[in-house]
Amino acid sequence: MPEQLSQETERARGALPFGPAEVTGPSMVPTLHHGDVLLVHWGARVRPGDVVVLRHPFQQDLLVVKRAAERRRGGWWVLGDNAFAGGDSTDYGVVPEELVLGKVRLRYRPRAGQRSPVTVVRWALSALRPVLADRSASRRLRAR
């Protein structure tokens, strides 16, 4: 199942170079979780290992978030960090360059009703994090 982004993402994309997107689905676990809010840099240069927002190749009204594993002839090979969720280039092949819309820069994990002081501190320390490129993505691709 592809990691879907909210409809507001598409409306916000045209106005500014940065915009929010909300994640739904499990395909990028453990990097991203359902309900995470992302800061997307629209039109940013993509490198292997970057987490990117793209249009689904077969359902172009659907925006998804995946990791750009490697550049291939015709576009990008993208993978979800959760190999068991599917919905990536192993299902639909190379994604054309024009369908890759932007790069994820930051992830905010909303608070999920924690009550104990320990869990509140853990959440506060992990709630806002940069989303960094995973340079091992191409090695994972060769291992499959």
Side-chain angles (χ1 to χ4, degrees), residues 5 7-8 16 31 46 55 61 68 75 81 109 124 126 128 138:
L5 300 176
Q7 294 294 329
E8 293 78 37
L16 300 170
T31 306
V46 176
R55 288 189 185 284
D61 60 334
D81 286 358
R109 187 157 293 150
S126 69
L128 188 64
S138 60

Side-chain angles (χ1 to χ4, degrees), residues 55-67:
R55 288 189 185 284
H56 192 284
F58 300 140
Q59 190 179 349
Q60 292 190 12
D61 60 334
L62 177 66
L63 298 181
V64 296
V65 60
K66 298 292 176 200
R67 190 171 301 278

Side-chain angles (χ1 to χ4, degrees), residues 2-142:
E3 199 83 19
Q4 298 179 352
L5 300 176
S6 65
Q7 294 294 329
E8 293 78 37
T9 301
E10 186 63 21
R11 286 191 285 275
R13 189 174 81 81
L16 300 170
F18 290 93
E22 185 179 345
V23 177
T24 61
S27 75
M28 287 298 290
V29 170
T31 306
L32 303 173
H33 293 273
H34 180 83
D36 285 354
V37 178
L38 309 176
L39 178 65
V40 181
H41 185 179
W42 304 113
R45 183 172 172 222
V46 176
R47 294 183 178 149
D50 287 341
V51 176
V52 297
V53 173
L54 57 116
R55 288 189 185 284
H56 192 284
F58 300 140
Q59 190 179 349
Q60 292 190 12
D61 60 334
L62 177 66
L63 298 181
V64 296
V65 60
K66 298 292 176 200
R67 190 171 301 278
E70 70 180 23
R71 200 123 164 60
R72 293 193 176 179
R73 187 173 38 189
W76 284 96
W77 189 263
V78 297
L79 296 173
D81 286 358
N82 180 353
F84 301 107
D88 56 21
S89 286
T90 56
D91 295 329
Y92 47 72
V94 174
V95 176
E97 181 79 33
E98 62 271 10
L99 296 183
V100 178
L101 305 176
K103 180 160 72 170
V104 176
R105 298 288 187 176
L106 201 64
R107 183 256 315 150
Y108 170 72
R109 187 157 293 150
R111 192 167 159 205
Q114 298 93 344
R115 296 182 193 264
S116 78
V118 173
T119 57
V120 170
V121 169
R122 284 184 185 161
W123 167 81
L125 294 173
S126 69
L128 188 64
R129 290 240 170 118
V131 177
L132 303 174
D134 179 9
R135 300 296 176 203
S136 65
S138 60
R139 278 186 259 134
R140 280 198 320 269
L141 177 63
R142 284 192 287 275

